[in-house]
């Protein structure tokens, strides 16, 4: 499993890296290696509940279990009996005014997803009632002994115990846990979860903290997801439908590919779908042909033409009138060629967009921005015709382009780390560079004279024949499994071959135009169309059980906003 921290890079005397860009490891600031917040600085605390796939539906929740007709145990078939029992409750009704005031202020100050707001307001509008915090179960967290023998056989309600686990896990990490959890002036709390866990984090957990009258670090921003479908149906482990963790490993596809696809397909504003066609297409077009091609192409060029040493455009010039730049000086960090002003401006814009997306938990959009940066790098190479001819006819210009593109690759190593840490580590290894921070502006940080490592491919091509093989393997027990023999692998039908040909052509055109996100626009348009139909049915009174007009309308508005944002980005990236 890849570490959340960049890999340790061995020391080297061949590096020439501008000071000040290095990634700060806050673990080194304390003797015990623990990371603690700093007063007056931005300190982010993140929690995550389970991500959600659309599994088999849960039971309907009733106000009283006595409403069930002919109840029976699904495990043993016996009929449950009715008896009186005592439980501890939290008085949510008394806390409702305080909770409502907090929700209004926090949802405006922080970043709350539309479904996060809708689910929370739905609970509040219905009126909060006292909620049992204990259960009569044999498993679970026992109540404190101080409560007495009456409660000795009770356990905590799971959604009372689970959120308290956030600070308790931190307390296991460091004795100074209160610096994180009781420091609202200096710590900002972000929480990630599936949509059905929203009220437990926006109503119940805050209520628990408010009830103590202590200065807790409270939720600031919440990022929730909708459902992830599988090939037009629902994930089901019991029915062997869908690909899960252990299955993903058995495919032999690198973890970085899985990370990229699932995050790029993250159901942030509406349900999304895992399909093998899309999985393979994104690997081959976006990761391999876009990002992988850009990194490998330029590093190989430096290996072959410059003996792995970054060239100095000043010393490469054959003109006596050419100005000399000392790239080691701080003021030379932005010493790009005049003809590259538009390219540098584009990268600056992408960096600002990426930081804004990450600040607002727009993970899919941030990943799209990374691909736009890589595509812009590919276009920059093509526009300048980087090859042997340029190296001979205009060595200074060749050096300028090489220096700029290698530094752009260094930027990408930092941008991809939150999503694909192993890929980031591999890029750093090939650059022979130490981990760097994410910049606000594009600068020359790897200086002339820096020795890079040996280029190698970051990603491999996935053969289209694997699509049907994996679809059969993970499509359910009723689906016949195709042979694993390469010779006996099923051939593609004419329809499938035509589809694959069209996809390949579309991918090539997308790469050539340096606009890799066109499939994302098409998908969003389809999602908007489907969500619009849901809203239309609700307005006509034909909605399905559980659908709420306000929630579904919020999803539609969020989808339209996301499409508009991505379209504007793509428009800005095109030349």
């Amino acid at each position: 499993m890849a570490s959340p921290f960049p890999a340790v890079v061995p020391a080297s005397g061949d590096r020439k890296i501008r000071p000040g860009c290095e990634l700060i490891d806050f673990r080194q600031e304390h003797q015990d290696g623990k990371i603690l917040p700093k007063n007056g600085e931005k300190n982010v605390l993140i929690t995550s509940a389970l991500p959600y796939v659309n599994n088999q539906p849960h039971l309907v929740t009733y106000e009283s279990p006595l409403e069930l007709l002919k109840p029976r145990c699904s495990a043993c078939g016996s009929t449950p009996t009715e008896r009186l029992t005592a439980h501890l409750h939290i008085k949510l009704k008394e806390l409702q005014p305080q909770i409502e005031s907090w929700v209004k202020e926090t949802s405006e100050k922080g970043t709350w997803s539309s479904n996060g707001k809708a689910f929370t307001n739905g609970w509040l509008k219905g009126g909060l009632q006292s909620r049992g915090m204990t259960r009569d179960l044999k498993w679970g967290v026992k109540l404190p002994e101080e409560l007495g023998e009456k409660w000795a056989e009770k356990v905590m309600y799971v959604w009372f115990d689970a959120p308290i686990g956030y600070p308790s896990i931190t307390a296991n990490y460091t004795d100074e846990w209160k610096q994180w959890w009781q420091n609202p002036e200096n710590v900002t709390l972000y929480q990630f979860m599936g949509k059905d866990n929203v009220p437990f984090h926006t109503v119940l957990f805050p209520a628990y903290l408010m009830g103590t009258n202590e200065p807790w670090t409270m939720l600031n921003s919440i990022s929730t997801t909708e459902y992830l479908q599988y090939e037009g149906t629902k994930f089901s482990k019991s029915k062997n439908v869908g690909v899960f963790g252990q299955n993903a490993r058995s495919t032999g596809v690198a973890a970085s590919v899985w990370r990229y696809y699932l995050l790029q397909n993250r159901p942030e504003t509406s349900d999304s779908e895992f399909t093998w066609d899309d999985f393979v297409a994104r690997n081959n077009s976006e990761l391999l042909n876009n990002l992988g091609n850009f990194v490998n192409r330029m590093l190989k060029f430096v290996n072959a033409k410059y003996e792995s040493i970054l060239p100095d455009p000043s010393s490469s010039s054959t003109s006596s009138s050419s100005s000399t730049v000392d790239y080691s000086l701080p003021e030379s960090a932005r010493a790009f060629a005049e003809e590259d002003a538009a390219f540098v401006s584009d990268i600056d814009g992408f960096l600002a967009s990426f930081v804004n997306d990450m600040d607002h938990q727009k993970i899919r959009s941030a990943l799209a921005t990374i691909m736009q940066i890589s595509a812009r790098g590919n276009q920059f190479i093509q526009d300048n015709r980087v090859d042997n001819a340029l190296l001979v006819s205009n060595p200074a210009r060749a050096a300028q382009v090489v220096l700029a593109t290698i530094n752009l690759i260094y930027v990408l190593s930092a941008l991809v780390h939150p999503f694909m840490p192993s890929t980031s580590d591999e890029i750093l290894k090939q650059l022979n560079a130490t981990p760097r921070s994410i910049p606000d502006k594009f600068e020359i940080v790897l200086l002339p004279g820096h020795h890079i490592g040996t280029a190698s491919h970051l990603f491999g091509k996935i053969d289209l024949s694997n699509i049907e093989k994996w679809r059969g393997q993970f499509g359910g027990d009723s689906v016949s499994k195709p042979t694993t023999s390469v010779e006996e692998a099923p051939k593609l039908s004419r329809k499938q071959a035509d589809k694959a040909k069209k996809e390949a052509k579309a991918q090539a055109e997308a790469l050539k135009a340096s606009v890799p996100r066109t499939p994302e626009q098409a998908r969003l348009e389809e999602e908007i169309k489907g969500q619009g139909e849901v809203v239309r049915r609700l307005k006509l009174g034909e909605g399905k059980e559980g659908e709420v007009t306000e929630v579904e309308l919020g999803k539609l508005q969020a989808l339209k906003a996301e499409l508009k944002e991505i379209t504007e980005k793509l428009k800005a990236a095109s030349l």
Side-chain angles (χ1 to χ4, degrees):
M1 180 178 177
S3 169
F5 300 99
V8 177
V9 180
S12 171
D14 294 334
R15 298 190 185 112
K16 288 192 175 183
I17 304 176
R18 187 183 305 281
C21 76
E22 58 273 2
L23 185 66
I24 300 174
D25 189 343
F26 291 101
R27 294 173 297 174
Q28 299 177 359
E29 296 191 357
H30 299 276
Q31 191 172 3
D32 61 1
K34 306 299 183 183
I35 300 176
L36 296 175
K38 290 185 174 183
N39 292 344
E41 296 188 13
K42 183 177 181 180
N43 304 285
V44 174
L45 179 61
I46 298 174
T47 72
S48 176
L50 284 174
Y52 209 91
V53 297
N54 195 357
N55 226 314
Q56 296 302 307
H58 296 285
L59 292 173
V60 176
T61 301
Y62 292 89
E63 289 296 325
S64 169
L66 300 179
E67 295 179 26
L68 291 169
L69 300 176
K70 297 181 180 180
R72 63 181 179 82
C73 175
S74 62
C76 66
S78 63
T79 301
T81 57
E82 179 183 346
R83 63 183 175 85
L84 293 175
T85 185
H87 285 297
L88 296 175
H89 288 68
I90 182 171
K91 297 180 178 180
L92 289 177
K93 186 174 182 180
E94 285 82 348
L95 285 169
Q96 179 153 355
Q98 188 176 349
I99 295 172
E100 285 185 327
S101 176
W102 172 81
V103 167
K104 184 178 186 302
E105 178 185 355
T106 304
S107 61
E108 293 175 355
K109 180 175 63 176
T111 302
W112 284 38
S113 54
S114 58
N115 53 10
K117 294 178 182 178
F119 278 105
T120 302
N121 291 332
W123 267 45
L124 295 175
K125 287 180 180 179
L128 300 179
Q129 302 297 325
S130 294
R131 194 177 185 92
M133 294 290 107
T134 55
R135 293 291 186 269
D136 289 312
L137 297 172
K138 296 299 181 183
W139 56 270
V141 178
K142 293 287 186 180
L143 301 185
E145 294 179 357
E146 293 84 348
L147 293 177
E149 187 177 346
K150 176 181 179 181
W151 307 100
E153 298 303 316
K154 308 282 184 180
V155 297
M156 294 182 186
Y157 166 49
V158 66
W159 278 112
F160 179 65
D161 161 58
I164 296 174
Y166 295 136
S168 69
I169 289 171
T170 312
N172 276 278
Y173 170 72
T174 174
D175 293 336
E176 302 297 325
W177 65 272
K178 289 185 178 180
Q179 289 194 41
W180 284 109
W181 281 101
Q182 291 191 347
N183 191 3
E185 298 299 321
N186 293 291
V187 177
T188 304
L189 174 60
Y190 290 76
Q191 296 193 287
F192 293 77
M193 69 207 64
K195 64 179 180 181
D196 41 353
N197 288 338
V198 167
F200 307 122
H201 293 79
T202 61
V203 177
L204 290 186
F205 187 33
Y208 306 156
L209 301 181
M210 292 175 187
T212 68
N213 290 318
E214 295 181 9
W216 288 93
T217 300
M218 304 284 284
L219 169 68
N220 174 272
S221 296
I222 183 171
S223 177
T224 61
T225 57
E226 299 290 324
Y227 292 126
L228 176 65
Q229 307 275 10
Y230 176 79
E231 293 272 346
T233 186
K234 299 175 180 179
F235 281 85
S236 174
K237 277 190 175 182
S238 62
K239 296 181 180 180
N240 191 35
V241 175
V243 57
F244 297 90
Q246 69 276 16
N247 308 130
R249 177 178 292 182
S250 71
T251 63
V253 177
S256 285
V257 178
W258 288 103
R259 287 175 180 269
Y260 175 78
Y261 180 73
L262 291 175
L263 288 170
Q264 187 56 263
N265 207 24
R266 184 173 183 256
E268 292 179 357
T269 53
S270 65
D271 292 353
S272 62
E273 187 169 2
F274 178 101
T275 70
W276 288 109
D277 294 275
D278 191 41
F279 177 78
V280 172
R282 286 183 180 272
N283 174 81
N284 292 349
S285 64
E286 297 172 9
L287 292 179
L288 177 62
N289 291 345
N290 182 0
L291 177 61
N293 176 68
F294 173 57
V295 174
N296 185 255
R297 180 179 178 182
M298 287 312 300
L299 292 180
K300 284 180 66 176
F301 190 81
V302 176
N303 285 156
K305 307 303 179 182
Y306 294 98
E307 297 181 343
S308 300
I309 301 175
L310 292 191
D312 186 336
S314 298
S315 61
S316 300
S317 176
T318 57
S319 171
S320 58
S321 61
S322 181
S323 60
T324 301
V325 177
D326 184 350
Y327 288 95
S328 65
L329 298 176
E331 58 268 25
S332 299
R334 299 270 288 179
F336 294 101
E338 290 184 9
E339 54 262 57
D340 296 334
F343 169 68
V344 174
S345 177
D346 286 345
I347 302 303
D348 287 346
F350 288 138
L351 288 172
S353 179
F354 177 86
V355 171
N356 182 69
D357 286 337
M358 294 296 281
D359 281 345
H360 294 86
Q361 302 94 62
K362 295 182 178 180
I363 294 175
R364 284 169 56 172
S365 182
L367 267 175
T369 300
I370 290 175
M371 289 300 150
Q372 286 177 286
I373 291 175
S374 178
R376 188 66 179 89
N378 274 314
Q379 185 179 29
F380 183 64
I381 296 170
Q382 294 165 2
D383 290 346
N384 285 280
R385 302 181 182 277
V386 178
D387 53 19
N388 289 332
L390 180 66
L391 194 62
V392 172
S393 64
N394 195 344
R397 181 56 186 157
Q400 289 171 345
V401 175
V402 167
L403 190 62
T405 52
I406 296 299
N407 272 278
L408 185 58
I409 292 172
Y410 197 21
V411 170
L412 285 168
S413 74
L415 299 182
V416 303
H417 186 268
F419 312 100
M420 299 179 285
S422 297
T423 298
S424 174
D425 291 344
E426 181 60 29
I427 294 174
L428 289 173
K429 177 183 176 182
Q430 295 183 33
L431 286 174
N432 183 33
T434 52
R436 63 158 302 163
S437 58
I438 295 174
D440 294 321
K441 297 287 186 180
F442 183 36
E443 296 181 337
I444 297 173
V445 173
L446 291 181
L447 307 178
H450 174 85
H451 288 239
I452 69 168
T454 303
S456 62
H457 292 289
L458 296 176
F459 306 100
K461 183 178 181 180
I462 299 178
D463 194 280
L464 295 178
S465 64
N466 285 309
I467 294 175
E468 290 306 318
K469 181 179 78 173
W470 291 332
R471 182 174 286 135
Q473 186 176 352
F474 304 114
D477 294 331
S478 61
V479 178
S480 60
K481 304 296 186 295
T483 177
T484 57
S485 170
V486 175
E487 291 77 14
E488 299 177 10
K491 295 182 179 180
L492 296 176
S493 66
R494 177 177 294 180
K495 183 177 180 181
Q496 292 168 336
D498 289 342
K499 182 179 180 181
K501 185 177 180 180
K502 290 179 180 179
E503 288 179 350
K505 183 178 180 181
Q507 293 163 10
E509 291 175 352
L511 179 61
K512 183 178 180 180
S514 299
V515 185
R517 303 312 306 146
T518 301
E520 181 73 7
Q521 288 178 294
R523 181 169 63 174
L524 281 170
E525 289 169 356
E526 286 299 314
E527 290 179 359
I528 288 171
K529 182 179 178 182
Q531 190 61 27
E533 179 63 21
V534 171
V535 173
R536 186 192 68 80
R537 286 191 288 100
L538 283 169
K539 290 181 177 180
L540 293 175
E542 301 172 355
K544 297 179 182 178
E545 182 180 352
E547 290 181 335
V548 182
T549 303
E550 182 181 353
V551 174
E552 301 304 330
L553 184 59
K555 293 179 186 177
L556 179 61
Q557 293 170 341
L559 280 170
K560 289 182 176 179
E562 185 177 0
L563 176 61
K564 180 180 179 182
E565 182 176 6
I566 289 179
T567 301
E568 290 175 350
K569 283 184 179 181
L570 292 172
K571 184 178 179 181
S574 63
L575 294 179

